[in-house]
Amino acid sequence: MTGDSSPSGALAESGLVAPRGPRVSLVTQGLGRAFGRRHALRDVTFTAGGGDVVALVGHNGAGKSTLLQVLSTRIAPTQGRALLDDELLSPGCPARVRLGYVSHQSFLYGALTARENLALSARLGGFPEDAVVPTLERVGLGRAKDRLARELSRGMTQRLMIARLLLQDARVWLLDEPSTGLDAVGLTWLQGEVESAAAMGRVVLFSSHDRGLLERSATQGLRLDGGRLTDFGPFRARATDEWLRSSA
Amino acid sequence: MTGGRSQPPGQRANTGPASVLRGALLMFQKDLHIERRSKELLFTVVAFAVIATVLFALSFNLDDDRTRAYTPGILWVTVLFSGSLALGRLYDAERDNDCLGGLLLSAMDPRSLYLGKLLTLLVAMGLMEALTVPLVVLFFDVGRVAPPGALGVVFLALGLGTLGFAAIGNLFAAMLLSSRLREILVPVIVFPLVTPVLIAGVQCTRAVLSGDFEISHWLWLLGAFDAIYLTIALALFPLMLRES
């Protein structure tokens, strides 16, 4: 089953916040990924536009993480293709730098501090380094900025990973279980950041089993089952339980 | 395609030569920073070289002049074995938390990572050699018979040989990063490839230590292998890292 929808985010739609920056479009056409003989993802076709917050739901092993990995360009599809603003996404493609990816792996050097890790990202991407400390303060790591990354809790690590997205000003946010390790305050903060990104015209795709994050932030739902897309549509058109029914 | 859509500097991939070198320096600085805190790479390489040199010295009858003939081989084998240990640890920081994946998703050209790691490896091996050569000279009594200026040429040959070893070793250390057998596989693959470097280096060192300074052909050979290995590695590195 395929889906094709690209409504704007709730805040942007309301007209209260004008989307900033060029309009973003993320398109997949028959996207698939096999590992040997096992197809982790097959024939996934959907379109998401700026302001969309797409919740990926499905059982463990349904293909959510694989879809995010392929979209992030961390791994190549073995079938179909993905396009960001009509530009083909593949490992090493120029468009990769417009994607922000929070994965199960932190991509952080444990022997560097939070500030050093973010400064490294800034230098690698050519972002202003003077934005590093304000970004750390924005994500609530102002007091922990000089702690080694390996000494940070899971929730703090999650915040640091999202800080990198903010610094990078990514057009597309790909979040794999972003609420992992976050406390109630952290979850509220994360919801705010996701809404803010959508209001600025970003595309956000996230996988999560957190009901609060799904209900408050998702504008679109995308259900995967056995690597296939089985449902795609406005999230709030149906009860959350109906979306979560297929979730583990 | 996005065509003429303008993007902020941070949202463009950095692929120009200047950007590649800037990225390489950044990777090198990052490695130095981590090494200053952990000292793992340097300690591993230097400790092995010192222990190996001492063991070689204890294993041979140093009163026998024939032992001196083995000195070039002992020096080069010690350097290459120590270097292979360095290769095993070179990408440790990138393996943890999939930092390599993060680098590949960044705007940095993958060749920057290669060149940065090459610099790190050269510095670590250079420091190891600066300690190993005097130890070999001391234990094997090379200073007594070596003509003036010989040690300078030995260091030059070692420098060229180290560059060739590091150029090709760095490539396979990255390629085998996710392999559980990398500590075994890297030397098994790299040593046969650097055999010409070992032969040229040993012959050059043997000639110089016996007073024969007609060694330019050996140095040219070492330089040629450096150029070949560097060219191949820089071409293959980005391809090998895809989906690593």
Side-chain angles (χ1 to χ4, degrees):
Chain A
M1 186 171 179
T2 63
D4 192 355
S5 172
S6 55
S8 302
L11 278 173
E13 270 185 341
S14 71
L16 295 174
V17 182
R20 281 188 272 158
R23 184 150 181 85
V24 184
S25 87
L26 181 67
V27 177
T28 69
Q29 297 168 339
L31 198 66
R33 169 72 200 205
F35 296 98
R37 287 182 176 180
R38 190 178 69 83
H39 288 264
L41 203 65
R42 57 171 99 196
D43 296 326
V44 173
T45 299
F46 71 93
T47 300
D52 282 349
V53 180
V54 183
L56 307 183
V57 293
H59 290 289
N60 292 334
K64 306 184 294 292
S65 293
T66 304
L67 175 59
L68 291 170
Q69 276 186 299
V70 171
L71 291 175
S72 76
T73 75
R74 184 69 185 93
I75 61 174
T78 50
Q79 172 200 3
R81 60 183 190 163
L83 303 161
L84 172 60
D85 299 334
D86 299 328
E87 204 171 332
L88 192 66
L89 292 177
S90 62
C93 71
R96 72 187 185 280
V97 297
R98 304 204 297 277
L99 303 161
Y101 178 38
V102 170
S103 84
H104 291 294
Q105 298 284 355
S106 68
F107 303 149
L108 295 171
Y109 288 97
L112 298 182
T113 64
R115 177 163 49 180
E116 288 165 348
N117 268 292
L118 208 54
L120 179 66
S121 297
R123 282 185 219 146
L124 283 172
F127 310 111
E129 268 191 79
D130 52 12
V132 167
V133 173
T135 305
L136 284 169
E137 283 165 357
R138 174 174 168 181
V139 302
L141 291 177
R143 288 164 65 183
K145 61 179 180 288
D146 292 322
R147 277 172 62 179
L148 296 179
R150 63 169 169 250
E151 294 171 354
L152 298 177
S153 69
R154 180 68 189 145
M156 292 165 103
T157 300
Q158 208 72 7
R159 285 170 181 263
L160 186 52
M161 291 156 73
I162 290 165
R164 194 163 42 202
L165 256 69
L166 295 170
L167 189 75
Q168 181 188 349
D169 197 20
R171 303 278 174 85
V172 177
W173 286 29
L174 304 166
L175 313 175
D176 199 351
E177 300 284 358
S179 52
T180 306
L182 291 178
D183 55 19
V185 177
L187 277 172
T188 306
W189 162 78
L190 175 65
Q191 289 162 2
E193 291 293 356
V194 167
E195 283 177 20
S196 170
M200 290 176 70
R202 309 300 186 232
V203 178
V204 182
L205 268 81
F206 72 97
S207 69
S208 180
H209 297 288
D210 183 79
R211 197 183 187 89
L213 186 62
L214 289 166
E215 285 180 344
R216 185 171 156 187
S217 304
T219 62
Q220 298 286 298
L222 190 158
R223 178 181 290 145
L224 290 167
D225 190 4
R228 291 183 187 277
L229 193 157
T230 57
D231 205 351
F232 182 72
F235 189 84
R236 286 160 200 164
R238 267 173 276 160
T240 307
D241 282 333
E242 199 178 328
W243 283 106
L244 287 176
R245 207 172 43 211
S246 66
S247 261
Chain B
M1 302 296 285
T2 49
R5 180 177 289 180
S6 65
Q7 282 148 12
Q11 297 190 346
R12 288 194 295 263
N14 299 325
T15 53
S19 295
V20 170
L21 290 178
R22 245 196 327 272
L25 277 178
L26 190 56
M27 287 295 98
F28 177 59
Q29 287 168 353
K30 181 265 299 170
D31 279 350
L32 282 188
H33 211 65
I34 291 174
E35 187 61 22
R36 263 206 303 270
R37 286 191 179 133
S38 69
K39 297 177 182 63
E40 282 178 14
L41 184 66
L42 200 58
F43 178 78
T44 305
V45 174
V46 170
F48 179 85
V50 170
I51 290 168
T53 307
V54 171
L55 287 178
F56 275 129
L58 294 174
S59 307
F60 288 99
N61 176 11
L62 299 178
D63 294 331
D64 186 344
D65 273 355
R66 285 175 299 180
T67 302
R68 209 161 288 114
Y70 303 127
T71 309
I74 289 169
L75 174 64
W76 278 84
V77 166
T78 302
V79 164
L80 293 188
F81 278 7
S82 301
S84 77
L85 281 184
L87 290 178
R89 312 223 65 152
L90 191 62
Y91 285 89
D92 274 3
E94 274 65 35
R95 197 177 62 248
D96 295 343
N97 300 328
D98 193 22
C99 286
L100 179 64
L103 292 175
L104 294 178
L105 298 180
S106 77
M108 185 185 74
D109 187 303
R111 289 170 297 180
S112 295
L113 176 63
Y114 173 81
L115 290 172
K117 288 293 177 185
L118 185 65
L119 269 177
T120 303
L121 192 54
L122 289 176
V123 168
M125 289 185 70
L127 289 172
M128 174 266 291
E129 287 161 10
L131 197 65
T132 306
V133 171
L135 280 179
V136 168
V137 168
L138 184 72
F139 287 134
F140 292 86
D141 207 12
V142 173
R144 191 166 56 83
V145 292
L151 285 183
V153 180
V154 169
F155 271 115
L156 176 62
L158 273 176
L160 289 170
T162 303
L163 178 57
F165 171 81
I168 204 74
N170 184 10
L171 177 70
F172 286 99
M175 193 183 85
L176 296 167
L177 183 64
S178 53
S179 168
R180 281 185 299 138
L181 296 173
R182 69 185 175 285
E183 306 261 0
I184 303 293
L185 288 177
V186 171
V188 164
I189 294 171
V190 171
F191 282 148
L193 291 172
V194 296
T195 303
V197 170
L198 177 68
I199 293 170
V202 169
Q203 293 301 330
C204 182
T205 306
R206 177 171 293 142
V208 166
L209 291 182
S210 60
D212 176 8
F213 281 83
E214 292 295 319
I215 39 85
S216 59
H217 55 293
W218 293 122
L219 294 179
W220 277 111
L221 193 62
L222 286 170
F225 274 108
D226 291 353
I228 292 167
Y229 290 155
L230 265 176
T231 306
I232 291 172
L234 277 170
L236 292 183
F237 192 79
L239 303 174
M240 283 186 167
L241 278 194
R242 300 262 165 92
E243 290 199 38
S244 62

